[in-house]
Amino acid sequence: MVRKKTSTEIDAKGFMAEFMRLKRGSVTRRHFLSVTGLGMAALVIGGSSRTSVATSEGSPLGKKVSLATWPNYHDPKTFEDFTARYGVEVDVSIIGSNEGTLLALERGRVWDIIIPTQYAIAPYVKRDMLEPLELRRLPNFDLAAHADRFLKPGVRAGAIFAVPKNAGTTGIAYNSRQLKPVETWRDFFDVAMTKATGRTIVHDYQLTAIGGALVALGHDFNSLDPTELQHAEDLLMRVRPHLLAVDSDYQPAMRTGEAWMTMCWSNDASQMHRDVPEIAYAIATDGGEIWTDYYAIPAKAHNKPGAHALINHLLEPEIAAREHIVHGGTVTDSRVRALLPEEILADEIIYPDEAKLTPLEFGLAVAMTDPTRAEIMNRFRAARG
């Protein structure tokens, strides 16, 4: 699939420059729509009516929408409400890594919606694997409600391919009744091979598994240096016999006490700490990952009208607020944040002090798709525990 370019197409930098001019009031909305190539798309600038896509479009939404999403990432009631409102079933698949989703799509797996992290969007677009979003079908999306750092990764060559879901960090969850605070990735691997042997889980996800090992050794999270990657593999292989599992769905084991420590996304940490207070969460002081996830539609999706309708449903501020309360992600939409209770906004797992974010890095596409890192992860998975 080759997407046709128009004379008005601009790159992501140009798009964001024009958007910031619009926010400052130095250009008109008509100018913005014209120069960005978005034409008469129903952009919601500065808040607007939230409408039913089915009603506004008058087009059939099909019988089913398929969604590939991360573990523990939604309120099931959201999908029940969508089905009740539109008569469309939501078929949910759980994925554990961006590279796994990319590989599945390359091998012919079809989903109507995927939830890529910011660094995965560019590789998808480069491979012509994402559909440019039809903003007229997303009246609940408001450009002005998001900071440009959250919008920019979804913009490629003047088109919007993905809209923000929420943000978060990757850190360390541990059972504070069983372990003293684990505050660095070096501590994580040391404790995994000593006090938490047989009780530790590492992500089944090369970016974070290898990234955590690299940081523990004093290297960059996204390093592609062959020597540094070899040292990271050596560390992962040393810890492998001590692990309970290599798994991205670690909540069940942590909740039952079978696991005492795991690599952890902050939204999962928020859920676990809420229900099991002894499960603590640390953003490692020696580094790690900060991330933003997005809603996107694969180019080969079977039900694109239904996919737009479900994304629009998920973006409705009241629904998104309920979702965030359940799953614990960090809100990127200012309209949604305004609806959240103070105790959520005061949660340091979800909204940490900015100083704690300083050592963290955004994952890079070159790290996600690097063949050497992929080979290391395959050997790590296959090693006997």
Side-chain angles (χ1 to χ4, degrees), residues 133-168:
L133 295 175
E134 298 180 50
L135 297 186
R136 62 194 173 88
R137 294 181 182 268
L138 301 176
N140 289 330
F141 175 57
D142 185 348
L143 271 169
H146 300 271
D148 62 344
R149 69 180 181 276
F150 297 126
L151 289 170
K152 191 171 182 179
V155 180
R156 312 299 301 180
I160 295 179
F161 285 89
V163 292
K165 179 186 187 298
N166 55 255

Side-chain angles (χ1 to χ4, degrees), residues 194-214:
T194 53
K195 295 178 181 178
T197 186
R199 302 278 192 171
T200 299
I201 299 175
V202 166
H203 279 165
D204 186 10
Y205 185 15
Q206 71 89 346
L207 191 84
T208 49
I210 296 173
L214 284 164

Side-chain angles (χ1 to χ4, degrees), residues 51-59 86:
T51 62
S52 161
V53 171
T55 301
S56 64
E57 289 298 311
S59 60
Y86 298 114

